[in-house]
């Protein structure tokens, strides 16, 4: 994976379906804009691009492969093809949305990224190393936040909020996906990735508070690294920047209530 050398930072949310990724990614985007006065861009996978649109049809069980034999039931796409489609969608996403924004100095907040491919597609047949391989040229996130929520709670949340259940969303499968996520996180951390696991089984405002704390810790390191770079060119480090960061509060309850999504 390639490091992100652009000015904007790339922060990714991961988790099981119903774990609150969309909610928290939107809250963090708002936090950057309103509390830090920094441009932030929310985006998600699968994308609205051509490959993403196809994936969404498969996930919502509206696209099947016709059976070769007239009596057999239509088949759904196999995991190998799914993994390739997700990797293609991700390449398109990076090229058309993520990288242009990062280049402009805008922080990109992504709702799912490559860890989801590792966790979901390796559940069945597609091989873990191979999935890593087809994602080799993507940009490494600067920070990944995994929202850990018990699979049973995720299913409950989805049942109360949705009319349909998507592919991968039954309890047994989510249990396996959670295990895969934790394994993939462990491995990725040993490869130097910055990944924070946050307890997502608490009220949205408390999850947001924990997310902001993790992001502030990360930004402190970013400021320190920039300080070192500046010292090389004899510029003054900014203690002020750090003080300002430490003072930045999470969004308040009314601010959160204003954009509750699901
Ligand atoms: N911390 C929370 N506590 C209780 N309910 C929550 C919490 N966060 C989100 N929800 C609710 O759970 C549902 C799923 O949340 P959300 O859409 O943010 O999850 P998601 O991880 O993006 O799910 P999906 O994978 O389906 O996109 C929504 O109805 C949302 O309002
Ligand atoms: Mg979502």
């Amino acid at each position: 994976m390639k490091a992100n050398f652009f000015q904007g930072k790339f922060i990714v949310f991961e988790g099981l379906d119903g774990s609150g990724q969309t909610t928290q990614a939107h809250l963090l985007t708002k936090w950057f804009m309103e509390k830090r006065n920094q441009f932030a861009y929310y985006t998600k996978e699968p994308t609205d691009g051509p490959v993403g649109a196809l994936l969404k049809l498969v996930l919502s069980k509206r696209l099947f492969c016709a059976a070769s034999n007239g009596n057999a039931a239509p088949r759904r796409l196999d995991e190998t093809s799914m993994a390739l489609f997700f990797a293609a969608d991700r390449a398109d996403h990076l090229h058309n949305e993520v990288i242009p924004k990062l280049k402009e100095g805008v922080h990109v907040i992504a709702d799912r990224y490559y860890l989801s491919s590792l966790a979901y597609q390796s559940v069945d047949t597609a091989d873990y190393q191979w999935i890593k391989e087809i994602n080799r040229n993507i940009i490494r996130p600067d920070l990944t936040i995994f929202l850990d929520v018990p699979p049973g709670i995720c299913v409950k949340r989805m049942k109360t909020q949705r009319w349909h259940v998507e592919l991968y969303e039954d309890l047994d499968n989510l249990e396996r996906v959670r295990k895969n996520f934790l394994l993939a996180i462990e491995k990725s951390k040993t490869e130097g990735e910055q990944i924070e696991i946050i307890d997502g089984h608490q009220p949205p405002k408390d999850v947001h508070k924990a997310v902001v704390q993790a992001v502030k810790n990360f930004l402190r390191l970013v400021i320190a690294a920039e300080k070192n770079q500046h010292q090389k060119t004899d510029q003054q480090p900014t203690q002020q920047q750090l003080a300002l960061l430490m003072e930045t509060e999470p969004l308040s309850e009314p601010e959160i209530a204003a954009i509750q999504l699901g």
Side-chain angles (χ1 to χ4, degrees), residues 72-154:
R75 284 173 289 113
R76 69 174 184 82
L77 234 61
D78 64 285
E79 292 305 336
T80 302
S81 307
M82 288 295 277
L84 287 165
F85 277 126
F86 271 108
D89 185 42
R90 189 161 299 126
D92 180 42
H93 189 205
L94 283 167
H95 187 72
N96 289 304
E97 272 187 88
V98 177
I99 292 175
K101 291 287 175 212
L102 294 174
K103 269 187 186 165
E104 287 169 21
V106 174
H107 299 317
V108 175
I109 316 295
D111 184 346
R112 291 196 184 280
Y113 195 51
Y114 90 100
L115 277 182
S116 282
S117 284
L118 288 175
Y120 285 82
Q121 272 79 53
S122 68
V123 162
D124 201 349
T125 49
D127 173 78
Y128 183 93
Q129 276 311 326
W130 175 74
I131 293 175
K132 282 208 90 154
E133 187 58 26
I134 60 173
N135 283 282
R136 192 178 59 184
N137 288 328
I138 65 172
I139 289 193
R140 178 185 297 124
D142 293 299
L143 173 67
T144 297
I145 294 169
F146 177 73
L147 299 175
D148 198 15
V149 176
I153 299 293
C154 291

Coordinates of all heavy atoms in Angstrom, one line a residue, residues 72-154:
A72 N -32.3 -25.1 -11.9 CA -31.6 -24.7 -10.8 C -31.9 -23.2 -10.4 O -32.4 -22.5 -11.3 CB -30.1 -24.8 -11.1
A73 N -31.8 -22.9 -9.2 CA -32.1 -21.5 -8.7 C -31.0 -20.6 -9.2 O -29.8 -21.1 -9.4 CB -32.1 -21.5 -7.2
P74 N -31.3 -19.3 -9.5 CA -30.2 -18.4 -9.9 C -29.1 -18.3 -8.8 O -29.5 -18.4 -7.6 CB -30.9 -17.1 -10.1 CG -32.3 -17.3 -9.9 CD -32.6 -18.7 -9.3
R75 N -27.9 -18.2 -9.2 CA -26.8 -18.1 -8.2 C -26.4 -16.7 -8.0 O -26.6 -15.8 -8.8 CB -25.6 -18.8 -8.8 CG -25.6 -20.3 -8.8 CD -24.5 -20.9 -9.5 NE -24.5 -20.8 -10.9 CZ -23.7 -20.0 -11.6 NH1 -22.7 -19.4 -11.1 NH2 -23.9 -19.9 -12.9
R76 N -25.9 -16.4 -6.8 CA -25.4 -15.1 -6.5 C -23.9 -15.0 -6.9 O -23.3 -16.1 -7.1 CB -25.6 -14.6 -5.1 CG -24.8 -15.3 -4.1 CD -25.1 -14.6 -2.7 NE -24.3 -15.2 -1.7 CZ -23.0 -14.8 -1.4 NH1 -22.4 -14.0 -2.2 NH2 -22.4 -15.4 -0.4
L77 N -23.4 -13.9 -7.1 CA -22.0 -13.8 -7.5 C -21.1 -14.4 -6.5 O -21.3 -14.3 -5.3 CB -21.6 -12.3 -7.6 CG -21.1 -11.8 -8.9 CD1 -22.0 -12.0 -10.1 CD2 -20.7 -10.3 -8.8
D78 N -20.0 -15.1 -6.9 CA -19.1 -15.7 -6.0 C -18.2 -14.7 -5.3 O -18.1 -13.6 -5.8 CB -18.3 -16.8 -6.7 CG -17.4 -16.1 -7.7 OD1 -18.0 -15.7 -8.8 OD2 -16.2 -15.9 -7.5
E79 N -17.6 -15.1 -4.2 CA -16.8 -14.1 -3.4 C -15.6 -13.6 -4.1 O -15.1 -12.5 -3.9 CB -16.4 -14.8 -2.1 CG -17.5 -15.0 -1.1 CD -18.4 -13.8 -0.8 OE1 -17.9 -12.7 -0.9 OE2 -19.5 -14.0 -0.5
T80 N -15.0 -14.4 -5.0 CA -13.8 -14.0 -5.8 C -14.2 -12.8 -6.7 O -13.5 -11.8 -6.7 CB -13.3 -15.2 -6.6 OG1 -12.9 -16.2 -5.8 CG2 -12.0 -14.7 -7.4
S81 N -15.3 -13.0 -7.4 CA -15.8 -11.9 -8.2 C -16.1 -10.7 -7.4 O -15.8 -9.5 -7.8 CB -17.0 -12.3 -9.0 OG -16.8 -13.5 -9.7
M82 N -16.8 -10.9 -6.2 CA -17.1 -9.8 -5.4 C -15.9 -9.0 -4.9 O -15.9 -7.8 -4.9 CB -17.9 -10.3 -4.1 CG -19.3 -10.8 -4.3 SD -20.4 -9.4 -4.9 CE -20.8 -8.7 -3.3
A83 N -14.9 -9.8 -4.5 CA -13.6 -9.1 -4.1 C -13.0 -8.3 -5.2 O -12.5 -7.2 -5.0 CB -12.6 -10.2 -3.6
L84 N -13.1 -8.8 -6.4 CA -12.5 -8.0 -7.6 C -13.4 -6.8 -7.9 O -12.8 -5.7 -8.1 CB -12.5 -8.9 -8.8 CG -11.4 -10.0 -8.8 CD1 -11.6 -11.1 -9.9 CD2 -10.0 -9.4 -9.0
F85 N -14.7 -6.9 -7.8 CA -15.5 -5.7 -8.0 C -15.2 -4.7 -6.9 O -15.2 -3.5 -7.2 CB -17.0 -6.1 -8.0 CG -17.5 -6.7 -9.3 CD1 -18.1 -7.9 -9.3 CD2 -17.3 -5.9 -10.4 CE1 -18.6 -8.4 -10.6 CE2 -17.8 -6.4 -11.7 CZ -18.4 -7.6 -11.7
F86 N -15.1 -5.1 -5.7 CA -14.8 -4.2 -4.6 C -13.5 -3.5 -4.8 O -13.4 -2.3 -4.6 CB -14.8 -4.9 -3.2 CG -16.2 -4.9 -2.6 CD1 -16.9 -6.1 -2.4 CD2 -16.8 -3.7 -2.0 CE1 -18.2 -6.1 -1.9 CE2 -18.1 -3.8 -1.4 CZ -18.8 -5.0 -1.4
A87 N -12.5 -4.3 -5.3 CA -11.2 -3.7 -5.5 C -11.2 -2.7 -6.7 O -10.6 -1.6 -6.6 CB -10.1 -4.7 -5.8
A88 N -12.0 -3.0 -7.7 CA -12.2 -2.1 -8.8 C -12.9 -0.8 -8.4 O -12.5 0.3 -8.8 CB -12.9 -2.8 -10.0
D89 N -13.9 -1.0 -7.6 CA -14.7 0.2 -7.1 C -13.8 1.1 -6.3 O -13.8 2.3 -6.4 CB -15.9 -0.3 -6.3 CG -16.8 0.8 -5.9 OD1 -17.0 1.7 -6.7 OD2 -17.2 0.8 -4.7
R90 N -12.9 0.5 -5.5 CA -12.0 1.2 -4.6 C -11.0 2.0 -5.5 O -10.7 3.2 -5.2 CB -11.3 0.2 -3.7 CG -10.5 0.8 -2.6 CD -10.2 -0.2 -1.5 NE -11.5 -0.6 -0.9 CZ -11.8 -1.9 -0.8 NH1 -11.0 -2.9 -1.2 NH2 -13.0 -2.2 -0.3
A91 N -10.5 1.4 -6.5 CA -9.5 2.1 -7.4 C -10.2 3.3 -8.0 O -9.6 4.4 -8.1 CB -9.0 1.1 -8.5
D92 N -11.4 3.1 -8.5 CA -12.2 4.2 -9.1 C -12.4 5.3 -8.1 O -12.3 6.5 -8.3 CB -13.5 3.6 -9.6 CG -14.4 4.6 -10.3 OD1 -13.9 5.4 -11.0 OD2 -15.6 4.5 -10.0
H93 N -12.8 4.9 -6.9 CA -13.1 5.8 -5.8 C -11.8 6.6 -5.5 O -11.9 7.9 -5.3 CB -13.4 4.9 -4.5 CG -14.0 5.7 -3.4 ND1 -13.9 5.2 -2.1 CD2 -14.5 6.9 -3.3 CE1 -14.4 6.1 -1.3 NE2 -14.8 7.1 -1.9
L94 N -10.7 6.0 -5.3 CA -9.4 6.7 -5.0 C -9.1 7.7 -6.1 O -8.8 8.9 -5.8 CB -8.3 5.7 -4.9 CG -8.3 4.9 -3.5 CD1 -7.3 3.8 -3.6 CD2 -7.9 5.9 -2.4
H95 N -9.2 7.2 -7.4 CA -8.8 8.0 -8.5 C -9.7 9.2 -8.7 O -9.2 10.4 -8.9 CB -8.8 7.1 -9.7 CG -8.3 7.8 -10.9 ND1 -6.9 8.1 -11.1 CD2 -8.9 8.3 -12.1 CE1 -6.7 8.7 -12.3 NE2 -7.9 8.8 -12.8
N96 N -11.0 9.0 -8.5 CA -12.0 10.1 -8.9 C -12.4 10.9 -7.7 O -12.9 12.0 -7.9 CB -13.2 9.5 -9.5 CG -12.9 9.0 -10.9 OD1 -12.4 9.8 -11.8 ND2 -13.1 7.7 -11.2
E97 N -12.3 10.4 -6.5 CA -12.8 11.2 -5.3 C -11.8 11.5 -4.3 O -11.5 12.6 -3.9 CB -14.0 10.5 -4.7 CG -15.3 10.8 -5.3 CD -16.4 10.1 -4.5 OE1 -16.9 10.7 -3.5 OE2 -16.8 9.0 -4.8
V98 N -11.2 10.4 -3.7 CA -10.4 10.5 -2.6 C -9.1 11.3 -2.8 O -8.8 12.3 -2.2 CB -10.0 9.1 -2.0 CG1 -9.1 9.2 -0.8 CG2 -11.3 8.3 -1.6
I99 N -8.3 10.9 -3.8 CA -7.0 11.5 -4.1 C -7.2 13.0 -4.5 O -6.5 13.9 -3.9 CB -6.2 10.7 -5.1 CG1 -5.8 9.4 -4.4 CG2 -5.0 11.5 -5.6 CD1 -5.1 8.4 -5.3
P100 N -8.2 13.3 -5.4 CA -8.3 14.8 -5.7 C -8.6 15.6 -4.4 O -8.1 16.7 -4.3 CB -9.5 14.8 -6.7 CG -9.5 13.4 -7.3 CD -9.0 12.5 -6.3
K101 N -9.4 15.1 -3.5 CA -9.7 15.8 -2.3 C -8.5 15.9 -1.4 O -8.2 17.0 -0.9 CB -10.8 15.1 -1.5 CG -12.2 15.2 -2.2 CD -12.8 16.6 -2.1 CE -14.1 16.6 -2.9 NZ -14.3 17.9 -3.5
L102 N -7.8 14.8 -1.2 CA -6.6 14.9 -0.4 C -5.6 15.9 -0.9 O -4.9 16.6 -0.1 CB -5.9 13.5 -0.3 CG -6.7 12.4 0.5 CD1 -6.0 11.0 0.3 CD2 -7.0 12.7 1.9
K103 N -5.5 15.9 -2.2 CA -4.5 16.8 -2.9 C -4.9 18.3 -2.6 O -4.0 19.1 -2.5 CB -4.6 16.6 -4.4 CG -3.6 15.6 -4.9 CD -3.6 15.6 -6.5 CE -2.7 14.5 -7.0 NZ -2.9 14.3 -8.4
E104 N -6.2 18.5 -2.5 CA -6.7 19.9 -2.2 C -6.5 20.3 -0.7 O -6.8 21.4 -0.3 CB -8.2 20.0 -2.5 CG -8.5 20.1 -4.0 CD -10.0 19.9 -4.2 OE1 -10.8 20.2 -3.3 OE2 -10.4 19.5 -5.3
G105 N -6.0 19.3 0.1 CA -5.8 19.5 1.5 C -7.1 19.3 2.3 O -7.2 19.6 3.5
V106 N -8.0 18.6 1.7 CA -9.3 18.3 2.4 C -9.1 16.9 3.1 O -8.6 16.0 2.5 CB -10.5 18.2 1.3 CG1 -11.8 17.7 2.0 CG2 -10.6 19.6 0.7
H107 N -9.6 16.8 4.3 CA -9.6 15.5 5.0 C -10.7 14.7 4.4 O -11.8 15.1 4.3 CB -9.8 15.7 6.5 CG -8.8 16.5 7.2 ND1 -7.4 16.4 6.9 CD2 -8.9 17.5 8.1 CE1 -6.7 17.3 7.6 NE2 -7.6 18.0 8.3
V108 N -10.4 13.4 4.1 CA -11.4 12.5 3.6 C -11.8 11.5 4.7 O -10.9 10.8 5.3 CB -10.9 11.8 2.3 CG1 -11.9 10.7 1.9 CG2 -10.6 12.8 1.2
I109 N -13.1 11.4 4.9 CA -13.6 10.5 6.0 C -14.4 9.4 5.2 O -15.5 9.7 4.6 CB -14.6 11.3 6.9 CG1 -14.0 12.6 7.4 CG2 -15.0 10.4 8.1 CD1 -12.8 12.6 8.2
A110 N -13.9 8.2 5.2 CA -14.5 7.2 4.4 C -15.3 6.2 5.3 O -14.8 5.8 6.3 CB -13.4 6.4 3.6
D111 N -16.4 5.9 4.8 CA -17.4 5.0 5.5 C -17.1 3.6 4.8 O -17.6 3.4 3.7 CB -18.8 5.5 5.2 CG -19.9 4.8 5.8 OD1 -19.7 3.7 6.3 OD2 -21.0 5.3 5.8
R112 N -16.2 2.8 5.4 CA -15.7 1.5 4.9 C -14.6 1.7 3.9 O -14.6 2.6 3.1 CB -16.8 0.7 4.2 CG -17.8 0.1 5.1 CD -18.6 -1.0 4.4 NE -19.7 -1.5 5.3 CZ -19.5 -2.3 6.3 NH1 -18.3 -2.8 6.6 NH2 -20.6 -2.7 7.0
Y113 N -13.6 0.7 3.9 CA -12.5 0.7 3.0 C -12.0 -0.7 2.9 O -12.8 -1.7 3.0 CB -11.4 1.7 3.5 CG -10.3 2.1 2.5 CD1 -10.6 2.6 1.3 CD2 -9.0 2.0 2.9 CE1 -9.6 3.0 0.4 CE2 -8.0 2.4 2.0 CZ -8.3 2.9 0.8 OH -7.3 3.3 -0.1
Y114 N -10.7 -0.9 2.7 CA -10.2 -2.3 2.3 C -10.3 -3.3 3.4 O -10.4 -4.5 3.1 CB -8.8 -2.2 1.7 CG -7.7 -2.4 2.8 CD1 -7.1 -3.6 3.0 CD2 -7.4 -1.3 3.6 CE1 -6.1 -3.8 3.9 CE2 -6.5 -1.5 4.6 CZ -5.8 -2.7 4.8 OH -4.9 -2.9 5.8
L115 N -10.3 -2.9 4.7 CA -10.5 -3.9 5.8 C -11.8 -4.7 5.6 O -11.9 -5.8 6.0 CB -10.4 -3.3 7.2 CG -9.0 -3.0 7.8 CD1 -9.1 -2.4 9.1 CD2 -8.1 -4.3 7.8
S116 N -12.8 -3.9 5.1 CA -14.1 -4.6 4.9 C -14.0 -5.7 3.9 O -14.6 -6.8 4.0 CB -15.2 -3.6 4.4 OG -15.7 -2.8 5.5
S117 N -13.1 -5.5 2.8 CA -12.9 -6.5 1.9 C -12.3 -7.8 2.5 O -12.7 -8.9 2.3 CB -12.0 -6.1 0.7 OG -12.7 -5.2 -0.1
L118 N -11.3 -7.5 3.3 CA -10.6 -8.6 4.0 C -11.6 -9.4 4.9 O -11.6 -10.6 5.0 CB -9.4 -8.1 4.9 CG -8.2 -7.6 4.1 CD1 -7.2 -7.0 5.0 CD2 -7.6 -8.8 3.3
A119 N -12.4 -8.6 5.7 CA -13.3 -9.3 6.6 C -14.5 -10.0 6.0 O -14.8 -11.1 6.3 CB -13.8 -8.2 7.6
Y120 N -15.1 -9.3 5.0 CA -16.3 -9.9 4.4 C -16.0 -11.0 3.3 O -16.6 -12.0 3.3 CB -17.2 -8.9 3.7 CG -17.9 -8.1 4.8 CD1 -17.3 -7.0 5.4 CD2 -19.3 -8.4 5.1 CE1 -18.0 -6.3 6.4 CE2 -20.0 -7.6 6.0 CZ -19.3 -6.6 6.7 OH -20.0 -5.9 7.6
Q121 N -15.0 -10.7 2.4 CA -14.8 -11.6 1.3 C -13.9 -12.8 1.7 O -14.0 -13.9 1.1 CB -14.2 -11.0 0.1 CG -15.3 -10.4 -0.9 CD -15.8 -9.1 -0.3 OE1 -15.1 -8.2 -0.1 NE2 -17.1 -9.0 -0.2
S122 N -13.2 -12.7 2.8 CA -12.4 -13.9 3.2 C -13.2 -14.8 4.1 O -12.8 -15.9 4.4 CB -11.1 -13.5 3.8 OG -11.3 -12.9 5.1
V123 N -14.4 -14.4 4.4 CA -15.3 -15.3 5.2 C -15.6 -16.6 4.4 O -15.6 -17.7 5.0 CB -16.7 -14.6 5.5 CG1 -17.7 -15.6 5.9 CG2 -16.5 -13.6 6.6
D124 N -15.8 -16.4 3.1 CA -16.2 -17.6 2.3 C -14.9 -18.2 1.7 O -14.1 -18.8 2.3 CB -17.2 -17.1 1.3 CG -18.1 -18.3 0.8 OD1 -17.7 -19.4 1.1 OD2 -19.1 -18.0 0.2
T125 N -14.8 -17.9 0.4 CA -13.7 -18.7 -0.4 C -12.5 -17.8 -0.7 O -11.4 -18.3 -0.9 CB -14.3 -19.2 -1.7 OG1 -15.0 -18.2 -2.3 CG2 -15.2 -20.4 -1.4
A126 N -12.8 -16.5 -0.9 CA -11.6 -15.7 -1.4 C -10.5 -15.6 -0.4 O -10.8 -15.5 0.8 CB -12.1 -14.3 -1.8
D127 N -9.3 -15.7 -0.8 CA -8.2 -15.9 0.0 C -7.7 -14.6 0.6 O -7.6 -13.6 -0.2 CB -7.1 -16.6 -0.8 CG -5.8 -16.7 -0.2 OD1 -5.7 -17.6 0.7 OD2 -4.9 -16.0 -0.5
Y128 N -7.3 -14.5 1.9 CA -6.9 -13.3 2.5 C -5.7 -12.6 1.8 O -5.7 -11.4 1.5 CB -6.5 -13.7 4.0 CG -6.1 -12.5 4.9 CD1 -7.1 -11.9 5.7 CD2 -4.8 -12.1 4.9 CE1 -6.7 -10.8 6.5 CE2 -4.4 -11.0 5.7 CZ -5.4 -10.4 6.5 OH -5.0 -9.3 7.3
Q129 N -4.6 -13.4 1.6 CA -3.4 -12.8 0.9 C -3.7 -12.3 -0.5 O -3.2 -11.3 -0.9 CB -2.3 -13.8 0.8 CG -1.5 -14.0 2.1 CD -1.0 -12.6 2.6 OE1 -0.7 -11.7 1.9 NE2 -0.9 -12.5 4.0
W130 N -4.6 -13.0 -1.2 CA -5.0 -12.6 -2.5 C -5.8 -11.3 -2.5 O -5.5 -10.4 -3.3 CB -5.8 -13.7 -3.2 CG -6.3 -13.3 -4.5 CD1 -5.6 -13.2 -5.7 CD2 -7.6 -13.0 -4.9 NE1 -6.4 -12.8 -6.7 CE2 -7.6 -12.6 -6.2 CE3 -8.8 -12.9 -4.2 CZ2 -8.8 -12.2 -6.9 CZ3 -10.0 -12.5 -4.8 CH2 -9.9 -12.2 -6.2
I131 N -6.6 -11.2 -1.5 CA -7.4 -9.9 -1.4 C -6.4 -8.7 -1.1 O -6.5 -7.6 -1.7 CB -8.5 -10.0 -0.3 CG1 -9.6 -11.0 -0.7 CG2 -9.1 -8.6 0.0 CD1 -10.6 -11.3 0.3
K132 N -5.4 -9.0 -0.3 CA -4.4 -8.0 0.0 C -3.7 -7.6 -1.3 O -3.4 -6.4 -1.6 CB -3.4 -8.4 1.0 CG -3.9 -8.4 2.4 CD -2.8 -8.2 3.4 CE -2.6 -6.7 3.6 NZ -2.0 -6.4 4.9
E133 N -3.4 -8.6 -2.1 CA -2.7 -8.4 -3.3 C -3.4 -7.6 -4.3 O -2.9 -6.6 -4.9 CB -2.4 -9.8 -3.9 CG -1.5 -9.9 -5.1 CD -0.1 -9.2 -4.9 OE1 0.4 -9.2 -3.8 OE2 0.5 -8.7 -5.9
I134 N -4.7 -7.8 -4.5 CA -5.5 -7.0 -5.4 C -5.7 -5.6 -4.9 O -6.2 -4.8 -5.7 CB -6.8 -7.7 -5.9 CG1 -7.7 -8.0 -4.7 CG2 -6.5 -9.0 -6.6 CD1 -9.1 -8.5 -5.1
N135 N -5.5 -5.4 -3.7 CA -5.6 -4.0 -3.1 C -4.2 -3.4 -2.9 O -4.1 -2.4 -2.2 CB -6.4 -4.1 -1.8 CG -7.9 -4.3 -2.0 OD1 -8.6 -3.3 -2.4 ND2 -8.4 -5.5 -1.9
R136 N -3.2 -4.0 -3.5 CA -1.8 -3.6 -3.2 C -1.5 -2.1 -3.5 O -0.8 -1.4 -2.8 CB -0.9 -4.4 -4.0 CG 0.6 -4.3 -3.5 CD 1.5 -5.2 -4.3 NE 1.4 -4.9 -5.7 CZ 2.1 -5.6 -6.6 NH1 2.8 -6.7 -6.3 NH2 2.0 -5.3 -7.9
N137 N -2.2 -1.6 -4.5 CA -1.8 -0.2 -4.9 C -2.7 0.9 -4.3 O -2.6 2.0 -4.7 CB -1.9 -0.1 -6.5 CG -0.7 -0.8 -7.1 OD1 0.4 -0.9 -6.4 ND2 -0.9 -1.5 -8.2
I138 N -3.5 0.6 -3.4 CA -4.4 1.6 -2.8 C -3.6 2.4 -1.8 O -2.5 2.1 -1.4 CB -5.6 1.0 -2.1 CG1 -5.2 0.1 -0.9 CG2 -6.4 0.1 -3.1 CD1 -6.4 -0.4 0.0
I139 N -4.2 3.5 -1.4 CA -3.5 4.4 -0.4 C -3.9 3.9 1.0 O -5.0 3.5 1.3 CB -4.0 5.9 -0.5 CG1 -3.4 6.4 -1.8 CG2 -3.7 6.7 0.7 CD1 -3.6 7.9 -2.0
R140 N -2.8 3.8 1.9 CA -3.0 3.4 3.2 C -3.7 4.5 4.0 O -3.3 5.7 4.0 CB -1.7 3.1 3.9 CG -1.8 2.7 5.3 CD -0.4 2.5 6.0 NE 0.4 1.5 5.4 CZ 1.6 1.6 4.9 NH1 2.2 2.8 4.9 NH2 2.2 0.7 4.3
P141 N -4.8 4.1 4.8 CA -5.4 5.2 5.6 C -4.5 5.7 6.6 O -3.6 5.0 7.1 CB -6.6 4.5 6.3 CG -6.7 3.1 5.6 CD -5.4 2.8 5.0
D142 N -4.6 7.0 7.0 CA -3.8 7.6 8.0 C -4.3 7.1 9.4 O -3.5 6.9 10.3 CB -3.8 9.1 8.0 CG -3.2 9.6 6.7 OD1 -2.0 9.3 6.6 OD2 -3.8 10.2 5.9
L143 N -5.6 6.9 9.5 CA -6.2 6.3 10.7 C -7.4 5.6 10.4 O -8.2 6.0 9.6 CB -6.5 7.5 11.6 CG -7.3 7.2 12.9 CD1 -6.4 6.3 13.9 CD2 -7.8 8.4 13.6
T144 N -7.5 4.4 10.9 CA -8.8 3.6 10.8 C -9.4 3.4 12.1 O -8.7 3.1 13.1 CB -8.5 2.2 10.2 OG1 -7.9 2.4 8.9 CG2 -9.7 1.3 10.1
I145 N -10.7 3.7 12.2 CA -11.5 3.5 13.4 C -12.4 2.3 13.2 O -13.3 2.4 12.4 CB -12.2 4.8 13.8 CG1 -11.2 5.9 14.1 CG2 -13.2 4.5 15.0 CD1 -11.8 7.3 14.3
F146 N -12.3 1.3 14.0 CA -13.2 0.1 14.0 C -14.2 0.3 15.1 O -13.8 0.3 16.3 CB -12.4 -1.2 14.1 CG -13.2 -2.4 14.1 CD1 -13.9 -2.8 12.9 CD2 -13.5 -3.1 15.3 CE1 -14.7 -4.0 12.9 CE2 -14.3 -4.2 15.3 CZ -14.9 -4.7 14.1
L147 N -15.5 0.3 14.7 CA -16.5 0.4 15.7 C -16.9 -1.0 16.1 O -17.5 -1.7 15.3 CB -17.7 1.2 15.2 CG -17.4 2.7 14.8 CD1 -18.6 3.3 14.1 CD2 -16.9 3.5 16.0
D148 N -16.6 -1.4 17.3 CA -16.9 -2.7 17.7 C -18.2 -2.8 18.4 O -18.4 -2.2 19.5 CB -15.7 -3.2 18.7 CG -15.7 -4.7 18.8 OD1 -16.4 -5.4 17.9 OD2 -15.1 -5.2 19.7
V149 N -19.1 -3.6 17.8 CA -20.5 -3.7 18.3 C -20.8 -5.2 18.3 O -20.6 -5.8 17.2 CB -21.5 -2.9 17.5 CG1 -22.9 -3.1 18.0 CG2 -21.2 -1.4 17.6
P150 N -21.4 -5.8 19.3 CA -21.7 -7.2 19.3 C -22.7 -7.5 18.1 O -23.6 -6.7 17.8 CB -22.5 -7.5 20.6 CG -22.0 -6.4 21.5 CD -21.7 -5.2 20.6
P151 N -22.4 -8.6 17.3 CA -23.2 -8.8 16.1 C -24.7 -8.9 16.4 O -25.5 -8.4 15.6 CB -22.7 -10.2 15.7 CG -21.3 -10.3 16.2 CD -21.3 -9.5 17.4
G152 N -25.1 -9.4 17.6 CA -26.6 -9.5 17.9 C -27.2 -8.1 18.0 O -28.3 -7.9 17.6
I153 N -26.4 -7.1 18.5 CA -26.9 -5.7 18.6 C -27.0 -5.1 17.2 O -28.0 -4.4 16.9 CB -25.9 -4.9 19.5 CG1 -25.8 -5.4 20.9 CG2 -26.4 -3.4 19.5 CD1 -27.1 -5.3 21.7
C154 N -26.1 -5.5 16.3 CA -26.1 -4.9 14.9 C -27.4 -5.4 14.3 O -28.1 -4.7 13.6 CB -24.9 -5.4 14.2 SG -23.4 -4.6 14.7

